[in-house]
Amino acid sequence: MTIEIPIAISIISALFAIYSAIKSTKRADTSEAEKKAIESATINVKLDQIGADVRDIKYDITAVKKDVQGLTERMIIVEQSTKSAHKRIDGMEEREVQT
C-alpha cells in the first residue's frame, strides 16, 4: 500500500498539470483572439476614415473643376471684349492719323 500512495499522488499531479496546461492554452488563445479582433477593428475604422477622406477630396475636386470651368467661361468673355475694344481703339487711331 505504501507504493500505491506515491503513484496515486503522481497520477493526480500529472492530471492537474495537464489540466492547467490546457486551461492556460485556452486562455492564451482567447487573449490572442481578442488582440486580433481589436487590431482588425482598428484597421477597419482607419480604412473607413480613409474612405470618407477620399470622398471628401472627390467632392472638393468636383467643386474646383466647376469653379475653373466658370472662370474659363468668364475669361473667354473678357478676351472677346478685349478684342472688340482693340478694334475700336485701332479704328479711333486710324481716324486720328487721317485727320
Side-chain angles (χ1 to χ4, degrees):
M1 250 196 170
T2 49
I3 296 179
E4 293 175 2
I5 293 176
I7 292 176
I9 291 174
S10 296
I11 292 173
I12 291 172
S13 296
L15 291 175
F16 183 73
I18 292 170
Y19 173 76
S20 295
I22 291 172
K23 193 76 164 170
S24 175
T25 303
K26 286 183 180 180
R27 194 174 309 129
D29 289 345
T30 303
S31 177
E32 187 69 26
E34 288 175 356
K35 286 180 184 177
K36 285 183 180 180
I38 290 170
E39 284 180 15
S40 178
T42 303
I43 290 170
N44 286 337
V45 167
K46 288 181 181 181
L47 286 174
D48 289 343
Q49 185 61 42
I50 290 170
D53 291 345
V54 168
R55 262 184 260 115
D56 291 344
I57 291 169
K58 284 182 179 179
Y59 292 138
D60 291 344
I61 289 174
T62 302
V64 169
K65 284 181 180 178
K66 287 180 182 178
D67 290 344
V68 168
Q69 185 177 2
L71 291 172
T72 301
E73 291 170 1
R74 288 175 59 192
M75 187 177 72
I76 290 170
I77 293 169
V78 169
E79 285 177 345
Q80 291 172 349
S81 177
T82 304
K83 283 181 185 178
S84 176
H86 278 289
K87 286 181 183 178
R88 287 192 304 267
I89 292 171
D90 289 343
M92 290 170 63
E93 286 177 349
E94 287 177 12
R95 276 186 257 144
E96 212 175 275
V97 171
Q98 289 175 356
T99 55

